[in-house]
Amino acid sequence: MVSRRARRVVALVLVAAVSGCSIGDIRRTPPAPPSASVKPSESADLPPTIDPVAEVRRHRLAVPQRYDRPHVEFVDAELGYALFAACDGQPSGPDCPALLWSTRDGGRSWQRLRHPRPIADEQQMYTAPGVLALLAKPHGWWTSTDGGRSFRHSPSEADPPQWQAAQGRFQLVQGTGKVGRWTGTKLRPLPTQPRLPALNTVLELDGRSVSSGGTEFDGPLVAAGAGEDGRPYAAISWNEGRSWQETPVPEFDGEVGVLRVKAVSDGLWLVGERPDRISFPALWRLAGQSWQRVRAEGQPESGQAVPLGAGVVAVISPRGAGALVGGRYVDLPWPVTAEHHLQLLPDGTLVASGPESVLLGTGHFGDRTWAAVVIETD
């Protein structure tokens, strides 16, 4: 079956990566190469096999049926929030106040939270580890650091301090195209900026690192962007933004509209979204101090790409779920379709948000157990 083949290919690549690092005189028997029956060119001709979800977490909330479907955000595999902010396509009002709910067990049960400003012209919700942020235009922000039990009001529509603090030490300063450092109260532009024609994202890799000169720091720090010419550009700082080293991004076919930096367990990646937002993204992986292009035989022409670590990239396309691994594309038996938006959470959980439910995938790399979170209303 295709699902078994996909899992086997992923496992073989991971075993090969581990076995390449020997300790002392330990000798390992090399894994058998995949048989001809798992060649991507052949598996691509077969319809992918889809495993059903392992669990359906269906819960009915005391919400009138006139409310539209909620916006659901998960922070990790257990903590999530649901915001009901419209009725029959119209924003919240006296007859349709915004409703806020939370779950602490992965969607098995939900608890009602008090929305601090239930009536507004527009309601939005954002989450990050340790922070829940609600924007109620034009009244400002309400942020909570205790799971929604209490909120602090920020009347301006500018990002509130609690939310900015959760975005990392280094961020883009809105409206300036510059890299800034969060001081605890303000996002201050760095004295030395990367010399790039455009900036879309900046990200610092967690953990202690050692530069080529032997200095320890909390980095590296990467800034990246797509220029007006459609080419990707990136720069790396090995000393917390005091100086920058431009790092050429290898050539690729086509153009990039937005270039984002992603951090996973094995380091930093560049994901180049195409201008049409449909064609398959361009991918690069940081190896040492240079970027390497990542591509795979048989990869789809359109879809989403989410790096997972260990050189594995999850793919969602019109064909279904798959992975780029070891220079090949393989189908995966995930119950995810092109209608889902795939996201990797900080705890390693995959979230696939769809029109009818949210899927939570726990596990490692391509071996995932999926649960469907279904919210029903009265």
Side-chain angles (χ1 to χ4, degrees):
M1 295 175 63
V2 176
S3 61
R4 293 177 180 174
R5 293 172 182 171
R7 289 172 177 166
R8 184 184 179 194
V9 171
V10 173
L12 285 173
V13 172
L14 296 180
V15 169
V18 173
S19 63
C21 301
S22 60
I23 302 176
D25 292 328
I26 295 177
R27 296 291 184 267
R28 298 179 177 87
T29 302
S35 65
S37 62
V38 298
K39 290 182 179 179
S41 59
E42 294 183 9
S43 65
D45 295 333
L46 300 173
T49 299
I50 299 177
D51 290 344
V53 294
E55 180 184 1
V56 177
R57 302 169 184 173
R58 190 183 306 273
H59 198 84
R60 183 175 295 275
L61 304 183
V63 175
Q65 287 189 351
R66 68 177 182 274
Y67 278 84
D68 295 345
R69 295 196 61 81
H71 173 61
V72 179
E73 291 269 355
F74 273 88
V75 181
D76 53 40
E78 302 296 328
L79 178 60
Y81 300 93
L83 174 66
F84 292 84
C87 295
D88 300 324
Q90 299 300 315
S92 62
D95 297 329
C96 180
L99 305 177
L100 183 63
W101 296 75
S102 72
T103 177
R104 298 181 181 277
D105 55 11
R108 296 177 180 88
S109 64
W110 293 82
Q111 298 77 42
R112 177 79 177 270
L113 299 176
R114 182 188 66 85
H115 193 294
R117 186 74 189 202
I119 299 176
D121 295 341
E122 182 180 346
Q123 300 276 4
Q124 298 178 22
M125 178 179 68
Y126 303 90
T127 63
V131 180
L132 167 64
L134 302 175
L135 175 60
K137 292 184 178 181
H139 308 292
W141 290 86
W142 279 262
T143 52
S144 174
T145 57
D146 57 9
R149 288 186 289 271
S150 63
F151 287 87
R152 177 175 295 182
H153 182 216
S154 302
S156 170
E157 288 194 5
D159 291 349
Q162 295 85 353
W163 175 255
Q164 284 197 305
Q167 306 310 303
R169 294 194 305 160
F170 298 93
Q171 307 169 36
L172 290 184
V173 182
Q174 293 183 2
T176 68
K178 294 183 178 181
V179 179
R181 180 168 184 165
W182 180 248
T183 65
T185 58
K186 184 178 180 180
L187 190 58
R188 192 180 302 277
L190 297 179
T192 304
Q193 294 289 322
R195 295 182 178 180
L196 300 177
L199 272 179
N200 300 137
T201 182
V202 60
L203 186 67
E204 180 185 24
L205 184 64
D206 292 335
R208 302 293 292 181
S209 301
V210 181
S211 69
S212 57
T215 303
E216 291 190 3
F217 60 95
D218 294 330
L221 177 65
V222 178
E228 294 183 357
D229 57 1
R231 294 174 56 84
Y233 298 89
I236 298 179
S237 174
W238 300 93
N239 54 13
E240 300 180 318
R242 290 188 291 274
S243 63
W244 295 87
Q245 173 187 346
E246 294 184 31
T247 53
V249 181
E251 293 286 344
F252 68 102
D253 297 330
E255 297 182 351
V256 167
V258 177
L259 187 64
R260 305 189 188 280
V261 184
K262 299 292 184 180
V264 293
S265 59
D266 64 347
L268 292 166
W269 290 67
L270 295 178
V271 179
E273 298 179 4
R274 304 296 188 171
D276 60 8
R277 300 296 180 93
I278 298 176
S279 300
F280 196 77
L283 299 167
W284 297 268
R285 182 182 180 186
L286 185 63
Q289 299 187 25
S290 62
W291 298 101
Q292 292 184 353
R293 177 74 192 280
V294 176
R295 69 186 86 192
E297 178 186 351
Q299 70 183 37
E301 296 182 356
S302 63
Q304 308 169 48
V306 178
L308 301 181
V312 180
V313 179
V315 174
I316 303 298
S317 73
R319 179 177 173 83
L324 309 185
V325 54
R328 292 175 292 180
Y329 173 82
V330 294
D331 290 315
L332 291 178
W334 296 351
V336 181
T337 70
E339 294 183 341
H340 289 90
H341 173 71
L342 193 65
Q343 178 186 5
L344 181 67
L345 299 181
D347 70 341
T349 301
L350 278 175
V351 176
S353 301
E356 300 297 331
S357 65
V358 173
L359 302 178
L360 299 177
T362 55
H364 300 284
F365 309 116
D367 188 11
R368 299 271 169 170
T369 299
W370 292 90
V373 178
V374 182
I375 296 177
E376 297 179 341
T377 58
D378 291 338

